[in-house]
Amino acid sequence: MELWYTEKHTDSVKFSIQVDRQLYSGQSEFQRIDVFDSKEFGRFLTLDGYMMLTEKDEFIYHEMMVHVPMAVHPAVKRVLIIGGGDGGAIRELVRYPTVEHIDLVEIDELVVEVCKKHLPQTACCFNDPRVHLHFEDGLRYIRHCEDEYDLIIVDSTDPFGPGEGLFTKEFYGNCYKALKADGIMVNQHESAFYADDAIAMQRAHKRIVQSFLISKVYQAHIPTYPSGHWLFGFASKKYHPTADLNGVKWNALGLKTRYYNTRLHAGCFALPNYVEEMLRDAE
Amino acid sequence: MELWYTEKHTDSVKFSIQVDRQLYSGQSEFQRIDVFDSKEFGRFLTLDGYMMLTEKDEFIYHEMMVHVPMAVHPAVKRVLIIGGGDGGAIRELVRYPTVEHIDLVEIDELVVEVCKKHLPQTACCFNDPRVHLHFEDGLRYIRHCEDEYDLIIVDSTDPFGPGEGLFTKEFYGNCYKALKADGIMVNQHESAFYADDAIAMQRAHKRIVQSFLISKVYQAHIPTYPSGHWLFGFASKKYHPTADLNGVKWNALGLKTRYYNTRLHAGCFALPNYVEEMLRDAE
């Protein structure tokens, strides 16, 4: 027999992975959760059928979400992660001894439980004493935060289903308020290639630009996401993502990474013209 | 009914495009040639079933193959293209008034005929008086060239089937000989993500390094190629791909591009660590 997982990247484009076994399937209050094992990608997590991460390429997403802002901000102590129940962003963050406190606000406790059991590669560091889990709606949580965080990482699902409210103007405005005077927010930004993803990307960008003085977009190659060309938003009150990169300091930390490096940091903000045009149209 | 084209990116990974109609199917002396029409990607060409180009994303491949070396070399007059029977590289090259002579050596005349008929978006410029078509084996053609070209573009198929011999040490050595003292060669380099592609990429890189003093690799996001993360080799006798970039001069040409720009030119040579390690292992 053959067992195939298929995600429709558009109505007429499919990406399929041969599956060895389904390790978990369940329904939470919020979404359907599945974990599969595969030869090519190792284990992978889907939410409502959408690919969230695979063991083979999650390092790209998580390194780019975390190390880009960490190499710019000179002294990150308090971090808020919205979403990120797989633990990948936490894994990268706890490598920094200067980080003192991490709040992770995940709406779906079952995601964390399932990842702890089936995806130890990412869900490895929830027991770090600096990590504080809050199982509630990030949208509500952030309303009551003010001048509290150096870094906010919006590691959301796609902007449909439980992640939908996170792509609003109100939400990004509250993130701005929750950040200290030199805070940075990083946002998973979807992609520019397929029309529906591009609309979501433009919408997120437009709303972030309304709140943040400095708002730039960077890119990474993530093979298991639609088109493989994934974008992130870097929104900041003070620091510029490339002019304020402190490469010497970051490299002195001696962190071993598989995707991120400080040369690539500068390079990943150089976007193709068609993406630049979409961003300008949204601004 | 539904009609789907599927390419296996590995034995256990499939990429599928819903097809409106098959516009052409034929068998040449060298390979099977198909052209399809689709909603998402427009028309697309496959050779022996492998994706060669789609109307939606071919601009990325062709712009990156042509404008990167053209923005570095100060005076390209004579160009050799090996492969490239779809005409996309020619289309980008003839935009430069300073280019005087282009030899295109394509082993399969039927590819050019089919593209002229069904893919006018790329096969638009074969009639430019500077373009000279040679329907023969690039491997043989290049043996008799010496000190002749400013730029060689190796726009080959994958390193199996008719393109196989192009990934050899002898071939790259002959390219070196065919170039003038300050010549540049650009090579389509496969990808680093899936194991078989990575082996081909490392092999090509190793052989190019043996011939060329300056041998660097750059990347682009090409959604319809396996993993979406595609690599190109920049091999050069004199000019460095980023130190010798003349951005001011290139921008003064006023060429409108959809992917390439001179900021991205510098950025695309900043590779992820895992790719850098593979390249070092090959050297």
Side-chain angles (χ1 to χ4, degrees), chain B residues 61 65 154 156-158 167 186-190 230-232:
Chain B
Y61 179 85
M65 276 289 241
V154 186
S156 64
T157 55
D158 301 310
F167 284 71
V186 168
N187 185 63
Q188 86 86 354
H189 235 51
E190 304 286 308
W230 214 249
L231 301 175
F232 300 90

Side-chain angles (χ1 to χ4, degrees), chain A residues 19-278:
Chain A
V19 165
D20 181 32
R21 285 184 307 146
Q22 187 173 32
L23 299 176
Y24 176 82
S25 185
Q27 178 76 37
S28 75
E29 190 187 336
F30 304 100
Q31 57 205 338
R32 177 174 167 163
I33 304 169
D34 292 275
V35 181
F36 300 93
D37 201 2
S38 70
K39 191 177 114 192
E40 184 64 47
F41 293 101
R43 296 182 174 196
F44 63 94
L45 169 72
T46 67
L47 296 178
D48 285 338
Y50 294 103
M51 176 61 78
M52 292 296 118
L53 68 87
T54 82
E55 287 186 329
K56 180 166 176 161
D57 70 347
E58 58 83 13
F59 71 99
I60 305 171
Y61 180 85
H62 292 121
E63 288 185 11
M64 291 301 280
M65 275 289 242
V66 169
H67 301 306
V68 170
M70 290 301 289
V72 171
H73 194 295
V76 172
K77 291 180 180 169
R78 293 181 63 86
V79 183
L80 171 64
I81 303 171
I82 309 265
D86 54 68
I90 283 179
R91 180 193 62 204
E92 295 304 312
L93 271 171
V94 298
R95 302 173 72 187
Y96 292 85
T98 48
V99 168
E100 293 173 359
H101 186 101
I102 304 169
D103 287 312
L104 182 125
V105 181
E106 166 62 58
I107 201 169
D108 195 342
E109 186 166 2
L110 189 56
V111 169
V112 174
E113 277 175 35
V114 169
C115 291
K116 276 183 176 173
K117 186 159 177 198
H118 296 290
L119 291 161
Q121 181 176 310
T122 52
C124 54
C125 304
F126 286 118
N127 291 330
D128 187 288
R130 295 168 289 173
V131 174
H132 304 265
L133 300 182
H134 309 265
F135 296 111
E136 56 181 286
D137 186 349
L139 205 58
R140 258 190 232 172
Y141 181 94
I142 194 91
R143 282 193 196 125
H144 310 292
C145 304
E146 208 173 325
D147 194 22
E148 205 168 313
Y149 296 104
D150 303 299
L151 172 62
I152 297 177
I153 295 176
V154 186
D155 182 7
S156 65
T157 55
D158 301 311
F160 7 89
E164 199 165 348
L166 299 181
F167 284 72
T168 62
K169 190 182 164 193
E170 187 218 345
F171 172 71
Y172 295 124
N174 283 331
C175 287
Y176 185 90
K177 185 167 62 69
L179 285 169
K180 294 184 184 166
D182 63 349
I184 295 172
M185 178 185 81
V186 168
N187 186 64
Q188 86 86 354
H189 235 51
E190 304 285 308
S191 165
F193 190 71
Y194 295 121
D196 287 352
D197 299 335
I199 289 167
M201 182 277 285
Q202 286 183 297
R203 201 174 46 192
H205 185 66
K206 181 179 179 154
R207 288 167 182 173
I208 292 171
V209 166
Q210 289 170 338
S211 293
F212 286 85
L213 189 65
I214 297 165
S215 179
K216 303 289 179 189
V217 171
Y218 62 103
Q219 63 192 354
H221 292 87
I222 306 182
T224 55
Y225 284 174
S227 85
H229 186 177
W230 214 248
L231 301 175
F232 299 89
F234 180 104
S236 171
K237 293 188 177 185
K238 181 176 172 188
Y239 303 114
H240 187 278
T242 54
D244 290 319
L245 163 66
N246 192 334
V248 174
K249 187 178 165 198
W250 192 86
N251 285 309
L253 292 172
L255 298 178
K256 189 164 163 47
T257 47
R258 291 168 62 204
Y259 191 89
Y260 178 83
N261 60 60
T262 50
R263 273 185 68 223
L264 184 143
H265 182 123
C268 72
F269 284 91
L271 304 175
N273 285 351
Y274 83 97
V275 181
E276 289 284 10
E277 278 162 28
M278 281 185 188

Side-chain angles (χ1 to χ4, degrees), chain B:
Chain B
M1 68 162 233
E2 290 188 3
L3 185 62
W4 288 84
Y5 160 83
T6 293
E7 181 175 358
K8 282 205 156 187
H9 286 178
T10 76
D11 282 348
S12 59
V13 178
K14 295 191 294 196
F15 183 70
S16 307
I17 299 173
Q18 192 170 3
V19 165
D20 180 32
R21 285 183 306 145
Q22 187 173 32
L23 299 177
Y24 176 83
S25 185
Q27 178 77 37
S28 75
E29 189 187 337
F30 305 100
Q31 57 205 338
R32 176 174 168 164
I33 304 168
D34 291 275
V35 180
F36 301 93
D37 201 2
S38 70
K39 191 177 114 191
E40 185 64 47
F41 293 102
R43 296 182 175 196
F44 63 94
L45 169 72
T46 68
L47 296 178
D48 285 338
Y50 293 104
M51 176 61 78
M52 291 296 117
L53 68 88
T54 82
E55 287 185 329
K56 180 166 176 161
D57 70 347
E58 57 83 12
F59 71 99
I60 304 172
Y61 179 85
H62 291 121
E63 288 185 10
M64 290 301 280
M65 276 289 241
V66 169
H67 301 306
V68 170
M70 290 300 289
V72 172
H73 194 294
V76 172
K77 291 181 179 169
R78 292 182 63 87
V79 183
L80 170 64
I81 303 171
I82 309 265
D86 53 68
I90 283 180
R91 181 193 61 204
E92 295 304 312
L93 271 171
V94 297
R95 302 172 73 188
Y96 292 86
T98 47
V99 168
E100 294 173 359
H101 185 102
I102 303 169
D103 286 311
L104 182 125
V105 182
E106 166 62 57
I107 200 168
D108 195 342
E109 186 166 4
L110 189 56
V111 168
V112 174
E113 277 176 35
V114 169
C115 291
K116 276 183 175 172
K117 185 157 179 201
H118 296 289
L119 290 161
Q121 180 176 310
T122 51
C124 54
C125 304
F126 287 118
N127 290 331
D128 187 287
R130 294 169 288 174
V131 173
H132 304 265
L133 300 182
H134 310 265
F135 296 111
E136 57 180 286
D137 186 349
L139 206 58
R140 259 191 232 170
Y141 181 94
I142 194 90
R143 282 193 197 126
H144 310 291
C145 305
E146 209 173 323
D147 195 22
E148 204 168 315
Y149 296 103
D150 303 299
L151 171 62
I152 297 177
I153 295 176
V154 186
D155 183 7
S156 64
T157 55
D158 301 310
F160 7 88
E164 199 164 348
L166 299 181
F167 284 71
T168 62
K169 190 182 163 190
E170 188 218 344
F171 172 70
Y172 295 123
N174 283 331
C175 286
Y176 185 90
K177 185 166 62 71
L179 284 169
K180 294 184 185 165
D182 62 351
I184 295 171
M185 177 185 81
V186 168
N187 185 63
Q188 86 86 354
H189 235 51
E190 304 286 308
S191 165
F193 190 71
Y194 294 121
D196 286 352
D197 298 334
I199 289 168
M201 182 276 285
Q202 286 184 297
R203 201 174 45 193
H205 185 66
K206 183 179 178 155
R207 288 166 183 174
I208 292 171
V209 166
Q210 289 171 338
S211 294
F212 286 85
L213 188 65
I214 297 165
S215 178
K216 302 288 178 189
V217 171
Y218 62 103
Q219 63 193 353
H221 293 87
I222 306 182
T224 55
Y225 284 174
S227 86
H229 186 176
W230 214 249
L231 301 175
F232 300 90
F234 179 104
S236 171
K237 292 188 178 185
K238 180 176 172 189
Y239 303 113
H240 187 277
T242 54
D244 291 319
L245 163 66
N246 192 334
V248 174
K249 186 179 166 197
W250 191 86
N251 286 307
L253 292 172
L255 297 179
K256 188 163 163 47
T257 47
R258 290 169 62 204
Y259 190 89
Y260 178 83
N261 59 60
T262 50
R263 273 185 68 222
L264 184 143
H265 181 123
C268 71
F269 285 91
L271 304 176
N273 285 351
Y274 83 97
V275 181
E276 289 283 10
E277 278 162 28
M278 282 184 188
L279 294 171
R280 272 199 302 272
D281 287 348
E283 283 170 11

